[in-house]
Amino acid sequence: MSKNARLILDEKEHTLPVIIGTEGEKAIDVRSLRADTGYITFDDGYGNTGSCESEVTFIDGEKGILRYRGYPIEELAEHSDFIESAYLIMNGELPTRPQRLAFSGLLRENSAVPVSMSYHFEGFPNEGSPMAILSAMLSSLACYFPSLATNNREKDLENFNHAAAVAISKVRTIAAMTYRMGKGLPFIYPRRDLAYADNFLHMMFSEPYYDHVPQPEIARALNLILLLHADHEQNCSTSTVRMVASSGANLFASVAAGVCALWGPLHGGANMAVIKMLEQIRADGDDGTKFIEQAKSGERRLMGFGHRVYKNYDPRAKIIGKACDNVLKKLGLNDPLLDIAKKLEEAALNDDYFLERKLYPNVDFYSGIIMKAIGIPVEMFTVMFAIGRMPGWIANWKEIASNPKGRISRPRQVYQGPVSRSYVPVEKR
Ligand code: SDX
């Protein structure tokens, strides 16, 4: 493997060092390019550009491999749970029993939202977007916990465990409060005796006069969904978190920005778009055949399919697809949307248009069906993605904040606008 890259520009040869990752990924280090050559690189959408060296998550898109801190997603999905994996992603190691107990205790202590913070919900319109509310409320955590959001990196790192627990625990409470507000229901306080996912379901579906006790299958399915979303390398929202963190901004500001990036239908909004797509196909009386043709012609997009990195099956889609069958069977549910999804998958995986472009189901293709089965309303699907991704965003914020040599992210551009002009008075325009 080359140790250097040789570049010939304007008849001059330049040598650029090569960086090799622990999993054999290769990168040309262009940090000296502009100073040495006057040239910059151009890579619209950053499909060929590494923004950082990270130790959190590894993806091999060609082989459909996903590992959190070296542990395969399949093993974590089978043996771990969301909170243990969140600890692993943020701290680099699986927790010992005392570490797990301490982390769970910190989450329990920080699960409630300050009463004064809950007053914001009186101002939001009931039909307000849950993602808009989530981003606003996460950003406002800096007002209620100023000592955890000083924008002084040394201090913010000293308080990292507390800030991380606030973000992970309260994102779930804020989400449940948003749902209750949207339904015109009273808020339900978190309970200290419930595990993370059970507590969320309690805050979503209990009433002041009775506690909702979720079926174990439902709590386990939700836990799995959150675990599978916990991190995913430098996706759009995580890169946004790193971009904001690079300016020295605190954890809450950075993850609030991550929520906004995740909101888009090409990213975290896809899980909602998949359900809407399946419902439309069903309403049209189509078995998926017509829709596949429309997707191939570019008229429609097969939401939940395709991925910038995975050019093979998204391993999370496989796990969620299997869980879908199990959860629906255990709950005695028969969702026609699952049949349509399976028909679409079958058709697409045998169609050259999708095969040539290496378009396979991604994490969003089946996740909505499970969330629908466990009672999460469609408008909350992307919020669930944000709850799951919180540990990954936090781990990436920490990598930026802990890097003493880190620099503010500030990409260059190739200017294509009007060449320099002189001012023309309005009477002469
Ligand atoms: C997530 O990055 C991550 O890791 C994200 C994520 C995470 O965990 O953080 O994995 C979560 O965001 C998953 C992706 C969810 N989005 C969707 O399911 C939306 C539908 N998918 C696409 O819009 C698309 O596949 C993207 C956005 C996911 C990836 O887009 P790219 O890499 O920019 O690919 P592209 O748009 O350049 O498409 C390449 C070709 C094009 O055809 P041609 O121009 O070559 O003829 O493939 C076609 C596209 O038209 N194509 C699709 C398609 N996705 C790509 N055609 C039909 N249906 C699709 N879904």
Side-chain angles (χ1 to χ4, degrees), residues 29-32 51-52 153 242-248 399-412:
D29 182 345
V30 295
R31 284 177 288 188
S32 64
S51 64
C52 60
R153 275 189 172 156
R242 288 184 82 106
M243 175 72 84
V244 173
S246 76
S247 73
E399 278 200 334
I400 292 278
S402 315
N403 178 2
K405 294 201 211 95
R407 304 173 68 208
I408 188 167
S409 297
R410 203 279 185 214
R412 294 277 180 163

Side-chain angles (χ1 to χ4, degrees), residues 232 266-267 301-302 304-305 307-308 316 353 362 389:
H232 211 243
L266 294 184
H267 188 13
R301 189 139 271 218
L302 182 49
F305 252 70
H307 199 279
R308 173 62 57 77
R316 301 167 298 176
Y353 172 91
N362 59 49
R389 187 52 52 89

Side-chain angles (χ1 to χ4, degrees), residues 150-170:
T150 65
N151 284 7
N152 169 319
R153 275 189 172 156
E154 208 179 319
K155 284 197 194 131
D156 289 350
L157 282 168
E158 255 166 50
N159 293 309
F160 172 77
N161 290 337
H162 185 183
V166 165
I168 290 177
S169 201
K170 285 180 175 38

Side-chain angles (χ1 to χ4, degrees), residues 282-347:
R282 187 168 175 236
D284 295 347
D286 173 13
D287 65 356
T289 313
K290 194 168 127 235
F291 189 89
I292 288 279
E293 290 313 309
Q294 289 171 330
K296 287 162 64 176
S297 69
E299 194 188 330
R300 312 288 290 273
R301 189 139 271 218
L302 182 49
M303 301 309 277
F305 252 70
H307 199 279
R308 173 62 57 77
V309 175
Y310 288 122
K311 300 308 170 193
N312 196 322
Y313 223 102
D314 181 336
R316 301 167 298 176
K318 270 190 197 153
I319 297 167
I320 292 184
K322 259 193 234 131
C324 241
D325 284 327
N326 297 340
V327 170
L328 293 183
K329 218 173 277 154
K330 284 207 176 120
L331 297 177
L333 296 175
N334 174 20
D335 186 344
L337 298 188
L338 179 58
D339 299 334
I340 296 174
K342 286 185 171 176
K343 277 208 191 89
L344 278 177
E345 180 182 358
E346 174 73 22

Side-chain angles (χ1 to χ4, degrees), residues 59 228-229 231-238 262 264-271 274 295-296 298 300-311 314 316 353-354 357 359 362-365 385 389:
I59 298 174
L228 293 173
H229 284 80
D231 193 44
H232 211 243
E233 202 212 64
Q234 297 313 312
N235 57 84
C236 177
S237 54
T238 299
L262 187 71
L266 294 184
H267 188 13
N271 52 24
V274 167
K296 287 162 64 176
R300 312 288 290 273
R301 189 139 271 218
L302 182 49
M303 301 309 277
F305 252 70
H307 199 279
R308 173 62 57 77
V309 175
Y310 288 122
K311 300 308 170 193
D314 181 336
R316 301 167 298 176
Y353 172 91
F354 295 90
R357 291 166 180 80
L359 301 176
N362 59 49
V363 67
D364 293 304
F365 193 61
F385 193 143
R389 187 52 52 89

